[in-house]
Amino acid sequence: MQTSTLLAFLAGSLLINTSLQAQSRTVKTTSTRTVTKTSTVPPARLPEFSIPRAEVESHIRFIASDELEGRRTGEKGNWTAARYIAEQFRLLGLKPAGDQGDYFQRINFEKVKAAMSATLLLGKDTLHAGKELVIMAGGPTDLSGEVIYVGYGLTDGEDGYKGRDVKGRIVVAQGGSPEAKGPGEIFGASRNKRKIAMDKGAAALIELYSESIPWGFVNQYFSREQITLPTESNTGKPITHLWINNANNQYKQLKEAGQTVTLRTSGRPQSTVVSANVAGIIEGTDPKLKNEYIVLSAHFDHVGVGKQGGSPYQASDSIFNGARDNAIGTVAILEAAKALSLQRPSRSVLVLALTGEEVGLLGSKYYSEHPLVPLKQTIFDLNTDGAGYSDTTIISVIGLERTGAKAEIEAGAKAFGLGVFGDPAPEQGLFDRSDNVNFAAKGVPAPDFAPGFKSFDQEIGKYYHQATDNPESLNFNYVLRFCQAYAHTARLIANRPTRPQWSSGDKYEPAAKALYTQE
Ligand SMILES: [Zn+2]
C-alpha cells in the first residue's frame, strides 16, 4: 500500500478522501445475493482447506527475506521475487500469460534521480536545491540571461506566449493552472508547461510555486528518486525545469521584464529501469463461463533499502522487508493459484503479481493500458494488499459495499473463522491507494482484500512502511487463515452464476457501462 504523502502527489486523494467517505456512507449495497455452489466437492475437501502453514511461512520468509533487499522496482531483489513467483506458477501448471511466451510482462520504467546540486542567482539572492528550489527535470546546465514571463505558460493568448519569442530564453511561469486544485492536476499542468516550453524552443522553465501542496512535501519528494512510466513528455531530453517556493510572492520580480538570472545545476540523472508483472492463467471448467476472467492481483514490490524506504531506520536494520506490505498478499495469490489449479472453478482466473505499486501504482496502471486478457472479459479483480493487521479475528475489505461480492467475501472469510470489516480508515482514502483502483477506473469491480484492521492504529503504524516489517514478527496462524479465506473467496466469485456489479451510483459505474457494452 502506498504512503499518503506519495499518494498526495500522484493521485490527489487527500482531496478525494472526503467525497469517498461520504460516498461509502450513502451508497446502499445491492449485493445480498446468496452464494451458489457449482462445485460438487464438499467445501472442507477443497484444496484451500488443507494448505500447510509451513508452505505459507516458507513463501513469505523467502519473498520478505533480507536477501531480496526490499524488492524495490527494477532492482535485483525485485527481479528475484518476480522469478520466484514465475517458477511457482510453472510448478502449479499455470498457462504463461506474459509478453514473450513466459510469465513476465516487462515494463520499461524511467528512473530519474534527484539533482545533486542546483543554484539560481537572482539579484543578491542565491536559491538552493533542497531549500528554495527543486529541480523537476533536465540535465546539467549553466545558463545566464534575462527571463521572460508567460503567465501560466499554457496558452498562446495575451496572458501566455502571445507576442513573446522565447527561443533560447529562460521562461518564467506561474505554478499550477486556473483550474488545477488537486496534486494530480498541478503536476499534470506542470508537465504540460514543460512540453509547451520545449516545443517553443525555450532553454529552461522556472515555475513560481504557491499551490496547495505544502512546499515541505514538494521539496522532500523531489529530493528523492522517482520512477515513472514513460510518457510523451518524458521521452527525449527535457529542458531544465525548476519550481521555486513563491508561497509569499517573495520572487515576484521574476515576472518583470529585464530580470537577469544565472542557473546552475548538475541536473537529474535519467535512466531506464526494467521490471515486470508476473502473470499466469488457470482455465475455467465451464464451456461458457471460461471466457470470463477474474483477476487475482497483489503487488510484490516494496520500497527498498535505507533512504529509499522513505522512513527512518536503525543502522542495525536498514532493509524494508515488506512482510505485511505485501509479501502476505503475494503469498495469498500463490496459495489461491495452487488451490484453484488443483480444483478449477467455472470461470478462468488470471493470477497477476504486480510490480511498481510503491512508486505510484505503476505496474497495475501499465497492465490496465496493456491487458493480457481482454478487459471487457475481465469481470472482477480481487486485489490483496495491506498496511498490516491489528485484529486477527477479521479481514478488512476496502470497497466491500461497492463492488458486488460481499456475500462471497463474507462466506470465504467465515469458512476460516474470520469476520469481515468493510472500509477501514475511510479518512485514508484507501480505495484509491492500491492497485485495485486502476482496474476500477477501467470499470472492473475491484475491492482490496486486506489483513484485519479497523483504523490506522498504533499496531499498524509500528510496521507500516517501516524496516521492522519483518517475517519474524508475523502471526503465521493468522496469515494462513487469511490466505485460505482469500483463496476460498476467489473460488466462490469465480463460480458465481452472475457477474458482480458496482453498487448503483458508484463513481466507477459509468466506466463499467462503457467497458462491458463495447463491441
Ligand atoms: Zn506500501
Side-chain angles (χ1 to χ4, degrees):
M1 196 157 279
Q2 283 193 285
T3 55
S4 55
T5 44
L6 190 64
L7 169 81
F9 292 114
L10 296 170
S13 92
L14 286 184
L15 298 158
I16 296 168
N17 279 348
T18 43
S19 60
L20 244 186
Q21 199 170 345
Q23 192 175 26
S24 68
R25 283 185 187 155
T26 54
V27 173
K28 285 206 181 73
T29 177
T30 55
S31 58
T32 47
R33 293 177 196 92
T34 52
V35 182
T36 310
K37 292 194 186 79
T38 57
S39 168
T40 51
V41 179
R45 282 211 227 127
L46 289 165
E48 57 269 33
F49 286 80
S50 51
I51 296 168
R53 198 189 86 155
E55 187 177 283
V56 167
E57 185 167 344
S58 81
H59 283 319
I60 289 190
R61 283 185 182 272
F62 183 80
I63 292 168
S65 62
D66 283 357
E67 288 81 1
L68 267 55
E69 297 179 336
R71 308 186 299 281
R72 188 173 177 79
T73 297
E75 298 196 2
K76 200 175 164 193
N78 175 260
W79 267 110
T80 307
R83 170 60 64 192
Y84 182 80
I85 295 160
E87 297 312 324
Q88 294 300 320
F89 285 3
R90 192 187 313 279
L91 194 60
L92 298 171
L94 269 57
K95 193 173 120 203
D99 51 23
Q100 293 176 17
D102 57 9
Y103 295 104
F104 297 127
Q105 179 180 43
R106 292 159 186 82
I107 307 171
N108 294 318
F109 293 95
E110 298 282 336
K111 181 158 96 176
V112 188
K113 292 198 166 151
M116 295 287 287
S117 67
T119 54
L120 182 74
L121 309 183
L122 168 61
K124 277 184 241 149
D125 293 332
T126 304
L127 287 63
H128 295 272
K131 287 187 179 149
E132 303 87 358
L133 72 85
V134 293
I135 298 288
M136 307 292 291
T141 296
D142 189 345
L143 267 178
S144 288
E146 272 183 31
V147 298
I148 182 162
Y149 181 67
V150 295
Y152 283 104
L154 289 164
T155 70
D156 281 326
E158 293 289 347
D159 55 351
Y161 280 96
K162 188 168 184 185
R164 297 181 170 94
D165 180 8
V166 301
K167 240 183 210 91
R169 303 278 299 273
I170 300 168
V171 168
V172 173
Q174 186 58 47
S177 79
E179 300 83 32
K181 302 211 163 50
E185 294 162 330
I186 294 166
F187 281 88
S190 184
R191 282 192 296 272
N192 277 342
K193 274 176 228 191
R194 178 160 77 235
K195 186 166 189 303
I196 293 166
M198 283 170 71
D199 289 347
K200 294 187 181 293
L205 169 63
I206 299 171
E207 278 185 79
L208 298 170
Y209 183 85
S210 59
E211 314 310 308
S212 56
I213 317 160
W215 180 256
F217 282 131
V218 169
N219 201 358
Q220 194 187 31
Y221 184 70
F222 287 98
S223 300
R224 299 218 303 260
E225 166 189 300
Q226 273 96 53
I227 295 177
T228 59
L229 290 172
T231 62
E232 282 143 70
S233 59
N234 63 9
T235 49
K237 280 220 162 87
I239 55 169
T240 297
H241 179 184
L242 57 150
W243 284 10
I244 67 177
N245 180 9
N246 195 44
N248 302 314
N249 213 13
Q250 59 269 54
Y251 302 113
K252 58 178 182 292
Q253 66 267 39
L254 282 170
K255 296 182 186 176
E256 291 157 18
Q259 284 292 328
T260 303
V261 300
T262 298
L263 171 60
R264 293 194 187 104
T265 171
S266 60
R268 303 192 68 180
Q270 196 175 338
S271 57
T272 299
V273 49
V274 185
S275 181
N277 295 327
V278 191
I281 290 171
I282 300 162
E283 200 182 86
T285 54
D286 184 278
K288 250 183 152 168
L289 287 177
K290 73 175 187 185
N291 296 315
E292 296 183 353
Y293 290 83
I294 88 159
V295 173
L296 304 183
S297 60
H299 79 87
F300 67 89
D301 69 299
H302 194 49
V303 295
V305 175
K307 279 190 185 154
Q308 293 175 329
S311 302
Y313 57 92
Q314 306 292 320
S316 56
D317 183 8
S318 61
I319 299 169
F320 290 76
N321 301 65
R324 290 162 180 76
D325 186 7
N326 184 30
I328 291 179
T330 305
V331 176
I333 64 167
L334 286 179
E335 293 299 352
K338 183 179 179 188
L340 296 175
S341 57
L342 286 171
Q343 177 72 41
R344 291 185 293 142
S346 311
R347 284 192 184 77
S348 295
V349 176
L350 177 77
V351 188
L352 181 62
L354 294 161
T355 192
E357 194 269 354
E358 302 286 8
V359 291
L361 315 181
L362 300 184
S364 54
K365 177 77 184 159
Y366 184 87
Y367 180 88
S368 74
E369 300 298 337
H370 307 87
L372 297 168
V373 298
L375 278 182
K376 64 173 181 168
Q377 286 166 246
T378 304
I379 63 135
F380 197 80
D381 167 43
L382 187 63
N383 187 63
T384 172
D385 180 19
Y389 56 85
S390 51
D391 186 339
T392 56
T393 67
I394 55 167
I395 57 153
S396 295
V397 178
I398 297 138
L400 179 71
E401 303 288 350
R402 298 169 59 185
T403 49
K406 188 179 176 183
E408 289 77 14
I409 293 167
E410 288 182 342
K414 196 178 167 206
F416 298 94
L418 296 167
V420 180
F421 188 79
D423 297 295
E427 79 291 350
Q428 295 272 345
L430 296 176
F431 192 90
D432 293 3
R433 266 170 73 178
S434 187
D435 293 308
N436 57 305
V437 70
N438 284 321
F439 286 89
K442 293 287 184 188
V444 179
D448 182 48
F449 192 104
F453 74 113
K454 292 179 177 170
S455 64
F456 264 60
D457 55 23
Q458 227 184 345
E459 180 66 13
I460 298 294
K462 200 167 140 193
Y463 299 105
Y464 176 62
H465 278 225
Q466 302 299 319
T468 49
D469 186 8
N470 295 317
E472 296 74 40
S473 64
L474 293 178
N475 173 344
F476 284 106
N477 286 328
Y478 175 67
V479 175
L480 168 64
R481 284 192 296 146
F482 176 83
C483 291
Q484 290 177 304
Y486 177 82
H488 195 52
T489 298
R491 178 185 303 284
L492 295 176
I493 297 169
N495 280 337
R496 251 176 75 138
T498 57
R499 300 167 166 210
Q501 308 281 342
W502 288 100
S503 291
S504 154
D506 196 278
K507 72 171 175 175
Y508 295 115
E509 194 186 30
K513 284 211 168 103
L515 176 67
Y516 297 127
T517 56
Q518 66 182 236
E519 286 301 301

